[in-house]
């Protein structure tokens, strides 16, 4: 007999639940939120207690109609949306739509999708949580008020289509302020001094200068360094003290959401968004052959390190059986929760140690396996004994200089046989080379000395891992929001990632400056953290939604009014500067255009003079960059070329413009281009190397009379069989370089990897290419021939990031490299997409 309807968020959960419950329940999915505030208006009645107007979204009308149809003949409705605030809001909206009079609406929480958890939850349902719902509604209304009230200001002052966010804009501020720190940072010179020493017994060792005349060493000039080195070399060094002690390194706790995102970014090079997408699949269930859909991990949005007693018991048994009693502590390890932790769910862990990474590897994609392995290793390590080191600190006196050497020897591996955390960039390893056995006052022999000039470095730019940590430490956002924050600020083009680091764009810096200037309270990091605490208080029933909204809006309304009057208008009058227009004498102002900031004459429209500029290092002074003279000559008229900046970057242009309109890409000037220019096949004139929206090409120098163009060869042939084309460099709509066949559209081969034209040692074709991994700095050599017997990948540059113990990534099928829709060129004639390879 059917016992009722279970409503979940994701359709992917349905298979897993049906395997456990059979035909006893109807199971349907809402596919996320079914209702939201209207897009066309604010949707909040501020004067009437901040009453919100919710409506079924257009995309979910069919879903809601189907839910109503299924629920109509049933009395019991179990709403099993995700066990967090967003899930609670979805549950309330579902109840409003299908909870007709007489229906028994109940809430069930699946912290993991194991059979035992599902059956226990259905046997012990609860009521809808009004406090969690109120907290989510308060967050939604706060975000709507900030977004829908500030965004129109940005449209009128900067550019139409811009947006602001209560939390996302604070994240942008953090990135912009770090960039400003880097610009203003003044490096300070210092010198490291060390000596290679030898005792009576091996090995030799290196000791670094620690103190001079009893004070901390501070060497700032080369002359000072040379003088100290000379004193050390003339001295007779001897051992002052030897301190030996045993140190322990405890294992880290199992993953919370933020720690999983940070570690996956450092060791697997996954974005926060990708990490959460894969974790969602592992939570909802993976098809494991005859077993069917099976959940592999617990709920992945959590800030708790708590583990169920039953899971701890299973884990201790696993460690005892697989690693021995020496690796198992006497009692389970406990981990202190952070002050802000809600502790609603367990830590992220495997649902059962029966599903080892090895046993499920054939059912998982490579990325799924790597993330599951990471979660598995961390969970197992969390309940193992600490690693033990014998650490020695050796002090040596040379003249009045105290030199110090430290060494560590791993005495017991402990948890490190299973898991080691990935290091941050430039983070030193804890392990040091062993030192010789020496005694106090023993004299040593100097083998050599070294003085090395160094300069202090500014704080590094944020990576995804370090930005998530910064948000977490400052109390900005919650586990469920970190991934969306990082995605949103990139989609809005306020920040960009270059070589794994966040850089603010010109647009991001402009918007941040205006928002911080006009809404200092809303954009304040501490204020944002306090708002998160108030939302937590509402979720716990300790604060009221209405009072929180009223307190916020009272000051916000006055800030809005003031900003409308005083915020700098970059579309109209612009931001004043001290630069004077050389044409009319009026001051130049900074304005915002489609391609970023530029200098424009304040006398516009009478004077239309504009200039490019950049901000100098340090205090941020403006340096004009417009028509920089060069010693290059125009190939058509012989006049001097000047360097300009355009939407595709810097380029050379003839100073005779507009009479002569010759242009040339900066890197393809005649002196720097080794590619011989071919004759035009139509008129016989020499072709010129040009750059367009989609990359480099040969264009007839007789343009516009002759408009012939030819693709530019990279020197590598197309790797596909029966194709006589060559690979040419192109650009996608997003500006990313890719390489495609010159015979397009007859041949649609394309790849992101740079062809070298070198011969493959396996298949013999001239189809080798270089693959660059931006996050790790790794460059690999691989074959583009899809029919090559082996995917060749030979490292030609050692990655800078330490390898982890998770399964290695193997690059294969290079020509089939996938690209996101945003990166793919328009699907038009003559514009190749590198998203796939289609053989003729």
């Amino acid at each position: 007999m059917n016992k009722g309807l279970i409503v979940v968020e994701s359709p992917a959960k349905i298979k897993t639940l049906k395997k456990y419950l059979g035909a006893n329940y109807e199971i349907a999915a809402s596919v996320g939120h079914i209702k939201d505030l209207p897009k066309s208006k604010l949707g909040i009645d501020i004067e009437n207690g901040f009453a919100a107007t919710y409506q079924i979204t257009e995309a979910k009308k069919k879903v809601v109609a189907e839910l109503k149809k299924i629920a109509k003949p049933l009395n019991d409705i179990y709403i099993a949306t995700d066990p967090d605030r967003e899930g609670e809001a979805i549950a309330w909206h579902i109840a409003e739509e299908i909870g007709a009079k007489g229906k028994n609406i109940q809430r069930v929480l699946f912290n993991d999708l194991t059979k035992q958890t599902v059956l226990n939850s259905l046997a012990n349902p609860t009521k809808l949580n009004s406090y969690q719902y109120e907290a989510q509604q308060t967050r939604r209304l706060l975000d709507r008020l900030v977004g829908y009230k500030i965004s129109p200001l940005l449209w009128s002052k900067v550019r139409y289509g811009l947006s602001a966010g209560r939390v996302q804009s604070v994240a942008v501020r953090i990135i912009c302020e770090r960039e400003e720190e880097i610009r203003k940072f003044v490096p300070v010179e210092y010198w490291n001094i060390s000596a290679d020493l030898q005792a009576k017994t091996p090995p030799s060792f290196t000791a670094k200068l620690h103190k001079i005349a009893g004070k901390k060493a501070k060497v700032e000039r080369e002359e000072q360094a040379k003088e100290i080195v000379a004193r050390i070399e003339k001295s007779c060094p001897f051992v002052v003290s030897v301190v030996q002690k045993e140190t322990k390194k405890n294992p880290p706790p199992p993953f919370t959401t933020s720690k999983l995102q940070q570690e996956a970014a450092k060791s697997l090079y996954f974005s926060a968004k990708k990490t959460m997408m894969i974790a969602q699949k592992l939570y909802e269930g993976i098809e494991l052959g005859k077993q069917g859909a099976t959940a592999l991990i617990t709920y992945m949005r959590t800030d708790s390190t708590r583990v169920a007693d039953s899971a701890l018991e299973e884990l201790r048994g696993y460690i005892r059986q697989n690693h021995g009693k020496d690796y198992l502590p006497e009692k389970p390890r406990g981990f202190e929760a952070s002050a802000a932790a809600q502790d609603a769910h367990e830590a992220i862990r495997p649902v059962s140690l029966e599903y080892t990474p090895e046993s499920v590897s054939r059912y998982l994609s490579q990325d799924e396996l790597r993330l599951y392995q990471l979660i598995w290793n961390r969970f197992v390590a969390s309940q193992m004994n600490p690693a033990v080191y014998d650490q020695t600190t050796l002090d040596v006196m040379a003249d009045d200089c105290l030199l110090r050497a430290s060494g560590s020897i791993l005495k017991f591996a402990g948890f490190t046989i299973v898991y080691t955390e990935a290091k941050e960039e430039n983070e030193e390893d804890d392990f040091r080379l062993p030192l010789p056995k020496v005694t106090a006052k023993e004299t040593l022999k100097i083998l050599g000395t070294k003085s090395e000039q160094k300069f202090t470095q500014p704080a590094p730019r944020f990576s995804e891992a370090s930005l998530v940590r910064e948000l977490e430490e400052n109390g900005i956002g919650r586990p469920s929001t970190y991934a969306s924050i990082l995605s949103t600020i990139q989609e809005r083009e306020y920040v960009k990632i270059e070589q794994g680091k966040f850089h603010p764009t010109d647009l991001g810096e402009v918007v941040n400056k205006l928002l911080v200037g006009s809404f200092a309270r809303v954009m304040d990091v501490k204020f944002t953290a306090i708002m998160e605490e108030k939302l937590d208080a509402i979720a716990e029933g300790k604060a009221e939604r209405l009072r929180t909204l009223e307190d916020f809006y009272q000051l916000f309304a006055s800030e809005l009014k003031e900003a409308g009057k005083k915020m700098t208008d970059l579309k109209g009058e612009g931001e004043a500067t001290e630069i004077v227009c050389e044409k009319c004498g009026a001051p130049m102002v900074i304005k915002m255009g489609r391609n970023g900031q530029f200098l424009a004459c304040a006398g516009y429209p009478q004077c239309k003079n504009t200039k490019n500029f950049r901000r100098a290092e340090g205090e941020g002074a403006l340096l004009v960059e417009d028509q920089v003279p060069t010693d290059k000559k125009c190939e058509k008229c012989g006049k001097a070329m000047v360097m300009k900046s355009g939407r595709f970057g810097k380029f050379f242009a003839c100073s005779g413009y507009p009479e002569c309109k010759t242009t040339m890409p900066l890197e393809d000037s005649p002196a720097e281009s080794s590619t011989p220019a071919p004759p035009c096949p139509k008129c016989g004139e020499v072709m010129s190397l040009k750059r367009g929206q989609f990359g480099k090409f040969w264009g007839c120098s007789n343009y516009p009379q002759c408009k012939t163009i030819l693709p530019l060869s990279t020197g590598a042939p197309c790797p596909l069989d029966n194709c006589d084309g060559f690979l040419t460099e192109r650009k996608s709509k997003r500006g990313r370089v890719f390489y495609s066949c010159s015979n397009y559209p007859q041949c649609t081969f394309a790849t992101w990897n740079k062809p070298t034209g070198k011969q493959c040692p396996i298949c013999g074709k001239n189809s080798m290419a270089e693959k660059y991994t931006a996050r790790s700095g790794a460059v690999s050599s691989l074959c583009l021939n899809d029919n090559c017997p082996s995917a060749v990948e030979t490292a030609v540059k050692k990655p800078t990031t330490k390898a982890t113990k998770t399964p290695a990534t193997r690059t294969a099928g290079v020509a089939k490299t996938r690209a996101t829709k945003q990166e793919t060129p328009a699907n038009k004639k003559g514009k190749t997409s590198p998203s796939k390879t289609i053989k003729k």
Side-chain angles (χ1 to χ4, degrees), residues 308-320 349-355 376 379:
D309 291 340
S310 58
L312 283 176
E313 185 178 343
E314 182 187 17
L315 176 54
R316 286 176 62 81
Y318 174 87
I319 295 170
R320 186 182 296 110
R349 63 170 176 84
V351 296
S352 172
L353 296 179
E354 171 190 351
Y355 304 117
W376 173 280
F379 179 59

Side-chain angles (χ1 to χ4, degrees), residues 151-160 567 569-572:
S151 296
L153 261 178
L154 296 177
W155 300 351
S156 63
K157 304 286 187 179
V158 185
R159 191 174 80 193
Y160 180 78
M567 183 183 281
D569 186 357
L570 293 180
K571 286 180 72 174

Side-chain angles (χ1 to χ4, degrees), residues 345 401 510 539 635 800:
H345 313 295
C401 300
V510 167
E635 59 187 22
T800 56

Side-chain angles (χ1 to χ4, degrees), residues 771-823:
K771 177 181 175 66
Y772 174 67
T773 305
R775 288 181 181 272
S776 65
V779 180
S780 303
S781 180
L782 42 84
C783 184
L784 297 178
N785 178 15
D786 226 15
N787 297 320
C788 185
S790 173
V792 180
E793 185 171 354
T794 308
V796 295
K797 178 182 177 183
K798 187 177 180 180
T800 56
T801 306
K802 183 180 177 182
T804 64
K805 294 183 180 180
T806 53
T809 303
R810 179 177 181 269
T811 304
V814 186
K816 297 181 180 178
T817 303
R818 300 196 176 204
T820 59
K821 290 182 180 180
Q822 292 86 352
E823 294 175 323

Side-chain angles (χ1 to χ4, degrees), residues 46 49-50 545-555:
I46 297 171
F50 293 89
R545 177 182 73 92
L546 183 57
R547 179 64 180 273
T548 301
L549 289 168
E550 287 175 341
D551 290 347
F552 170 81
Y553 194 75
Q554 186 175 7
L555 285 172

Side-chain angles (χ1 to χ4, degrees), residues 112-275:
D112 60 60
L113 287 184
T114 58
K115 186 173 183 178
Q116 182 180 355
T117 298
V118 170
L119 295 178
N120 287 344
S121 297
L122 288 171
N124 301 282
T126 63
K127 296 181 180 180
L128 295 176
N129 189 322
S130 61
Y131 294 143
Q132 289 271 11
Y133 176 60
E134 289 286 292
Q136 192 278 341
Q137 290 298 285
T138 307
R139 175 188 287 279
R140 185 73 186 94
L141 298 189
L142 285 171
D143 290 345
R144 174 56 69 102
L145 288 169
V146 171
Y148 272 50
K149 291 291 186 178
I150 295 181
S151 296
L153 261 178
L154 296 177
W155 300 351
S156 63
K157 304 286 187 179
V158 185
R159 191 174 80 193
Y160 180 78
L162 298 181
S163 60
R166 184 181 62 85
V167 178
Q168 293 91 338
S169 294
V170 176
V172 174
R173 178 180 183 174
I174 290 172
I175 295 170
C176 288
E177 288 182 346
R178 176 59 59 85
E179 193 69 22
E180 190 64 19
E181 283 180 41
I182 294 171
R183 286 193 190 123
K184 292 182 177 180
F185 182 81
V186 179
V188 176
E189 180 184 8
Y190 69 97
W191 288 75
N192 282 340
I193 296 174
S194 61
D196 294 331
L197 303 169
Q198 187 176 59
K200 294 177 182 178
T201 59
S204 59
F205 64 98
T206 301
K208 295 181 180 179
L209 179 64
H210 183 59
K211 290 183 178 181
I212 303 174
K215 296 181 180 180
K216 186 178 179 180
K218 191 175 182 181
V219 184
E220 299 176 333
R221 301 183 308 278
E222 184 177 8
E223 296 77 12
Q224 185 184 3
K226 288 180 177 178
E227 187 268 332
I228 293 170
V229 167
R231 294 211 315 265
I232 292 174
E233 289 177 341
K234 292 177 182 178
S235 70
C236 183
F238 63 93
V239 177
V240 176
S241 65
V242 181
V243 178
Q244 293 180 319
K245 62 179 180 178
E246 184 179 271
T247 60
K248 293 182 179 181
K249 183 176 182 179
N250 290 318
F255 281 126
T256 60
T257 302
S258 66
K259 290 297 185 288
L260 176 62
Q261 291 172 351
Q262 292 172 48
E263 192 67 9
K266 289 188 292 184
S267 61
L268 306 180
Y269 312 121
F270 288 178
S271 67
K273 183 177 181 179
K274 180 176 181 177
T275 297

Side-chain angles (χ1 to χ4, degrees), residues 45-98:
D45 189 348
I46 297 171
E47 304 299 327
N48 189 25
F50 293 89
T53 303
Y54 276 86
Q55 55 187 225
I56 299 172
T57 58
E58 191 65 32
K60 296 299 175 66
K61 287 182 177 179
K62 288 185 178 180
V63 173
V64 173
E66 185 64 21
L67 288 174
K68 287 181 177 179
K69 181 180 177 181
I70 298 172
K72 188 174 182 180
L74 302 174
N75 183 58
D76 294 321
I77 310 294
Y78 300 91
I79 304 181
T81 48
D82 287 353
D84 56 17
R85 291 178 195 169
E86 292 297 320
E88 202 64 41
I90 297 171
W92 277 78
H93 290 155
I94 291 172
E96 288 172 357
E97 293 302 318
I98 68 174

